[in-house]
Amino acid sequence: MQKEEKSAPSFTSKVGLVMAAVGSAVGLGNIWKFPYIAGQNGGGAFLLIYLLCVLLFGLPLLITEFTIGKHSGRSVYGAFSVIRNNNRWQWIGWLCMLATILVMGFYTVVTGWCINYLIDAISNTLYSSSDLTAHFTELSSNGPRMFGYSILALALTSVVLWFDVNKGIERLSKILMPLLLIMMIFMAIRVLMLPGSNVGMRFFFEADFSKLSPKVILDAMGQCFFSLSIGLGALITYGAYMPKHQNIIATSVQVAVLDSLVAILAGLIIFPAVFAFGVDPAEGPQLAFVVLPSVFEQMSLSSLSSIMFFGLLCIAAITSMISLMEVLVAFLTEATAQKKHSLDRHKAVLLAVVICVVTSSLCAFSLSGTPEWLKIGDKDFFTVFDTVASNFLMPLGALSMAIFIGWFMPESAIKQELRNGNRSTIHYALGFLFMQIVRYFVPIAIVAIFLNGVLSLI
Ligand code: PFF
């Protein structure tokens, strides 16, 4: 495949690209998943290991994806072929496509829960049922209701994608991401003023190294992966839209810092609140949907807190869904470009929606247990999709990308992208360090996650 002149779509500003990438990274992974995984793994020790993973392993992979995307100017379908000038590496693009479809299946369902909870909080019905556990069980066992809310999540996402990337994704991210940060800081301050909140702070920041185990380290790596949107090409896709003079290393650092900051802010909201009301921080996935609303219920202005919290979750989830669906849209448009039935952006959005409706309905109905035959063995599709995508396909995608950039992409091309016209010693040194990390450290670390995935299944 020949490299073509870069043409639209493209972001118009550097800030726009950073905000869109942060929008992809900041999602349910930060606000819903991070606090409960940190809670189950001992708090402070987990936080420390997590931040180390972001530095040693997340950051190089962010740089990897942006470099592949920016240099090729293509979606995951054509990026590898353009760089190598043959189709031998195109399977990575298909792997990314498959991983994205599976993640969309369960992610859409959880986004649907968030929308449902936000509507309940606004209409003041969240606290009408006496028991919040029952409220959550009622939702997660009602297939048609979860499916309906998933469709709503998909509809909101596709409205944004309908526009060109600079008018839809870029403009929306520039408004929503700062708003999300402000709302989170406000909520954290409010929670920190609760009497007894210092116990939660201590739990989150005091590292108890007796809690450290190989499982904690591997969980932190997996979480870092999912949270930074690494391994399925979302950032290759956004990298292709990167303005020409944008610095890849600086952009990756900004994304990693902001994503970690949001995860820490989520911990600062959740742990002090949970401890102030004497709840167990290791409650698991229901921490955000059952425990937290009941904590809010005991605070003054409970409905305002719930509206803000579920509003935050909705914003974070939808901007991540946008990036996931953009992987599909860009793939479909590019893969059909030279074909008889080529798809323009609008047709590609519609086809992507149809694909996601199928996978999310499988997840919603299978999770609710009706019909009963909709399972793989004794496992529901929701769990299977999550496990296969997060524990296998995303690590495999990232492993392939690291090997590709470390051993097969021309080094001159990588240096050209990383130096970005800058010939200082520091840029030279960073480029050298990056190459050593993606060649040796990252592949070994990813194989470790793989083994964790396999062992957890046995
Ligand atoms: N990073 C998102 C989160 O933390 O919720 C999830 C995600 C989005 C993963 C986009 C992968 C992706 F391509």
Side-chain angles (χ1 to χ4, degrees), residues 304-325:
L304 181 70
S305 304
S306 304
I307 293 173
M308 272 191 90
F309 180 74
F310 289 108
L312 280 175
L313 269 181
C314 286
I315 293 176
I318 287 175
T319 47
S320 296
M321 273 182 65
I322 289 172
S323 72
L324 283 161
M325 208 132 116

Side-chain angles (χ1 to χ4, degrees), residues 107-157:
Y107 208 87
T108 308
V109 172
V110 184
T111 308
W113 294 350
C114 301
I115 300 177
N116 185 154
Y117 268 71
L118 177 63
I119 294 175
D120 286 351
I122 294 172
S123 60
N124 234 337
T125 51
L126 189 56
Y127 298 113
S128 57
S129 62
S130 56
D131 181 357
L132 281 153
T133 310
H135 191 92
F136 184 66
T137 315
E138 205 185 296
L139 172 63
S140 58
S141 58
N142 187 337
R145 187 153 142 216
M146 279 192 286
F147 178 59
Y149 280 105
S150 305
I151 299 282
L152 187 55
L154 283 170
L156 291 171
T157 307

Side-chain angles (χ1 to χ4, degrees), residues 227-307:
S227 186
L228 289 174
S229 303
I230 290 164
L232 50 70
L235 301 173
I236 292 186
T237 311
Y238 279 3
Y241 308 152
M242 199 181 254
K244 201 157 172 267
H245 296 295
Q246 185 142 3
N247 183 319
I248 290 181
I249 297 182
T251 304
S252 305
V253 171
Q254 285 156 2
V255 174
V257 168
L258 284 169
D259 187 66
S260 308
L261 190 71
V262 172
I264 292 174
L265 273 174
L268 278 182
I269 295 171
I270 290 180
F271 293 120
V274 159
F275 277 93
F277 290 97
V279 181
D280 181 6
E283 275 283 345
Q286 52 171 347
L287 196 59
F289 291 99
V290 177
V291 179
L292 213 56
S294 67
V295 166
F296 292 150
E297 198 178 9
Q298 301 168 56
M299 287 162 58
S300 57
L301 297 174
S302 60
S303 32
L304 181 70
S305 304
S306 304
I307 293 173

